[in-house]
Structure formats: C-alpha cells, structure tokens
Amino acid sequence: MTQAEIPKRNKKIVQLAKENYTADQISEIMGIKRYRVLQILKAFNVKAYKVPHDLQCKMAKAIIKELEAGVMQSDIARKLKVSRQYVSQIKYRYQALNKADNK
C-alpha cells in the first residue's frame, strides 16, 4: 500500500465503524489485523461497535457449544477470533445462569 492510499483506507475504516461494524468485521473487509483497525479508530477518536455479551447472540452460543464439548478457552478464542477474556465472560455468565436454574 502506498502512502497516498493510507488516508483513503483510514477514512473507509472510520466510515465502517460509524456504520456499526465491529473491529473484527472491519478487519475482514479491509484485509488488515484487528489490532491495526483499533489503532486507526483510536487515532480518529472513534469507537468500534461492540457485540453485547448476551448469551443469546450467535457468538455466545458458539462459545457455549465449544465449552460444552470440552475445548479450552484459548483454543475457542483463536478459532472464533475473539479474546480469551470474552470467552471467559460468557463461560461465567453461562455457569451463573445454570446455577440459578438448578436451585
């Protein structure tokens, strides 16, 4: 990528963020790493859309399915391209929900 193309790319990244795309989605669209997308957005003082930690979302359901299969949290995070901390949050919310149901 040439120096002349970088401002156009950055403008597109900011535009996608304002259209409620997540950092992961933007990184796939633009073909760059998620971390770089977040750096660019921070430089423009724009925040990427974050998926809610709701146990009903597709990502949470996929994480729960993998956890029930006995897959390690770090492996799930790599496979689904989310942070290990996000996997951990879903796991603890799911466990708390199950404890409440079993009482």
Side-chain angles (χ1 to χ4, degrees), residues 26-79:
I26 295 169
S27 69
E28 287 179 26
I29 292 168
M30 301 304 293
I32 60 175
K33 301 246 183 217
R34 178 181 179 274
Y35 183 76
R36 184 64 187 135
V37 168
L38 293 172
Q39 286 177 324
I40 293 165
L41 292 176
K42 184 176 181 180
F44 285 89
N45 203 20
V46 175
K47 292 190 177 190
Y49 176 74
K50 290 184 181 179
V51 178
H53 295 295
D54 185 10
L55 293 179
Q56 298 302 314
C57 74
K58 291 178 188 177
M59 184 64 70
K61 287 180 180 181
I63 290 169
I64 291 167
K65 183 178 176 183
E66 294 287 331
L67 287 169
E68 288 176 342
V71 181
M72 291 176 52
Q73 290 182 32
S74 56
D75 294 336
I76 296 170
R78 261 186 247 109
K79 179 179 179 182

Side-chain angles (χ1 to χ4, degrees), residues 3 6 16 19 21 34 37 50 62 81 90 95 97:
Q3 290 294 325
I6 292 174
L16 290 171
E19 293 173 5
Y21 282 86
R34 178 181 179 274
V37 168
K50 290 184 181 179
K81 297 180 181 174
I90 297 298
Q95 288 174 339
L97 183 65

